Amino acid sequence: MCPFLSSWILSSKSENTTRSYFSAFKRWEIFITAQGHSALPASPIHVALYLTHLLQTGASQHPVNNAVYAIKWAHNCAGLTDPTENSYVTSLQEAARRKANHGVHKKEPITKDILITLCDKFIDEKDLLIVRNLTMILFCFAGFLRFDEVSSLTFNDIIMRDDHIVLCIKKSKTDQYRQGSEVLIAKGSTSACPVSMYLRYLDLLSSVEDKSFFLFRPIFRSKDVCKLIYKNKKLSYTAARSNIVSLLKTVVGEHVNIGIHSLRAGGATVAANSNVDERCLKRHGRWKSDTAKDGYIVDSLGKRLMVSRSLEL
């Protein structure tokens, strides 16, 4: 009975959250055990000293918060008194927000003109690697997809319609209860049409033996052959970022600060500045709040000037 109880308690958080908390707790355990003290249950003063150690070694706000939440989580799972409720700990957590090295540098959003220029450049491309990367880029931009969402897509998750495609997102950061959601992407009229690029990708694959396999898998080359690997393995974030960013930089240049998230931010920015309905915009991007949505959008100069122009001075 006990193992089942433990597994259900651990299931109260998502798998990724549990993994993150476990790693953070292990780091705390290694630190405090070396000092000759207990990690579970923990003394509030020892937790405060650990947070002080993190701050003194240059930790940013995130690892400090992660340490606090991990220690809280472990004590709650064990039914023990939470040491993070102590005023020393809460004050140090607040100090981390104010004093820690933040160094936040948001990535620049990608524009639709950049994508059209990029796709024009490879309009007759037959290399599977390039077309796979272009398809990922256009899906992320048009569907406001996070990397985890696009990398988790299988062939079964794509439904073709006459004038659009449907992406079935089974797992999302904001979908904690795995209810799933659908993202609709319309056919376009330029070289950067996501639907047309997806069909090009399928054409280069020749055939799909198992539609339950991931849509974007690693690629291997053997002489003149270029294919997706036969194993059902996701494309890693590191490999995807390297491929996508290097491809985008052939258009934007090396000096621009961009990443995979630039595509989600870019799609949201273009849609917002085109006066798309707010409710539909939030649904398309799977945002729960306006605050989360607004963090991705860069208002155009024209929209910003509308504020003072409305004063009619």
Side-chain angles (χ1 to χ4, degrees):
M1 193 70 176
C2 224
F4 293 104
L5 175 64
S6 301
S7 64
W8 281 113
I9 289 174
L10 291 175
S11 297
S12 64
K13 301 289 184 184
S14 73
E15 184 180 337
N16 286 342
T17 301
T18 300
R19 189 182 300 116
S20 174
Y21 285 175
F22 182 78
S23 298
F25 184 81
K26 290 299 291 182
R27 289 192 290 272
W28 147 250
E29 186 177 40
I30 291 169
F31 171 85
I32 202 63
T33 303
Q35 311 302 319
H37 300 293
S38 169
L40 192 72
S43 166
I45 190 63
H46 293 156
V47 176
L49 290 173
Y50 177 56
L51 298 185
T52 302
H53 163 74
L54 292 178
L55 290 170
Q56 286 180 328
T57 52
S60 65
Q61 179 186 343
H62 175 71
V64 171
N65 285 339
N66 205 30
V68 171
Y69 299 145
I71 294 169
K72 178 190 289 289
W73 165 79
H75 282 75
N76 287 341
C77 287
L80 299 172
T81 302
D82 180 9
T84 66
E85 295 296 328
N86 181 272
S87 60
Y88 286 175
V89 176
T90 56
S91 294
L92 285 166
Q93 194 175 9
E94 181 62 29
R97 295 190 185 100
R98 295 175 179 273
K99 301 293 184 182
N101 298 321
H102 297 286
V104 177
H105 301 287
K106 283 195 173 184
K107 304 295 185 184
E108 294 290 328
I110 296 298
T111 67
K112 65 177 181 180
D113 292 334
I114 290 172
L115 296 187
I116 293 172
T117 301
L118 179 65
C119 292
D120 282 344
K121 184 176 181 179
F122 295 102
I123 197 161
D124 296 318
E125 185 60 61
K126 300 297 182 183
D127 188 287
L128 181 62
L129 177 64
I130 299 294
V131 177
R132 182 204 68 182
N133 294 338
L134 289 173
T135 307
M136 288 183 69
I137 287 170
L138 296 176
F139 273 17
C140 286
F141 184 87
F144 305 174
L145 301 185
R146 300 178 179 88
F147 172 73
D148 189 54
E149 293 169 342
V150 74
S151 65
S152 298
L153 288 172
T154 67
F155 289 96
N156 279 330
D157 295 331
I158 315 298
I159 302 171
M160 294 294 303
R161 301 292 188 218
D162 290 339
D163 60 349
H164 68 278
I165 57 174
V166 181
L167 309 185
C168 300
I169 309 297
K170 295 176 182 175
K171 179 182 177 183
S172 176
K173 179 181 177 181
T174 53
D175 182 18
Q176 296 296 321
Y177 299 105
R178 303 291 186 267
Q179 295 175 338
S181 61
E182 291 184 344
V183 175
L184 309 184
I185 299 180
K187 279 186 179 179
S189 56
T190 72
S191 60
C193 169
V195 179
S196 299
M197 191 63 71
Y198 172 64
L199 293 175
R200 278 176 63 185
Y201 181 54
L202 290 182
D203 187 54
L204 290 174
L205 291 177
S206 299
S207 64
V208 179
E209 295 181 2
D210 192 334
K211 291 192 174 182
S212 67
F213 274 29
F214 292 120
L215 180 62
F216 302 114
R217 304 199 300 279
I219 285 175
F220 73 89
R221 293 183 187 275
S222 178
K223 296 183 180 178
D224 296 330
V225 177
C226 181
K227 290 186 176 182
L228 297 178
I229 63 170
Y230 299 116
K231 184 179 179 181
N232 189 26
K233 178 183 177 183
K234 277 187 182 183
L235 185 64
S236 72
Y237 176 81
T238 304
R241 186 185 185 284
S242 175
N243 279 278
I244 287 174
V245 171
S246 61
L247 201 56
L248 289 168
K249 285 193 172 182
T250 62
V251 175
V252 301
E254 292 294 328
H255 63 286
V256 181
N257 181 28
I258 58 171
I260 293 179
H261 231 50
S262 298
L263 297 164
R264 177 171 163 85
T269 294
V270 173
N273 287 321
S274 299
N275 297 317
V276 170
D277 179 78
E278 287 281 323
R279 186 174 62 84
C280 290
L281 187 66
K282 282 173 64 177
R283 181 177 181 180
H284 193 75
R286 296 149 322 277
W287 288 296
K288 296 294 184 183
S289 67
D290 287 332
T291 304
K293 168 184 67 66
D294 292 343
Y296 285 87
I297 295 168
V298 179
D299 292 319
S300 67
L301 178 62
K303 292 197 75 171
R304 292 175 64 188
L305 288 172
M306 282 175 64
V307 179
S308 59
R309 281 174 181 162
S310 68
L311 304 177
E312 297 182 353
L313 296 176

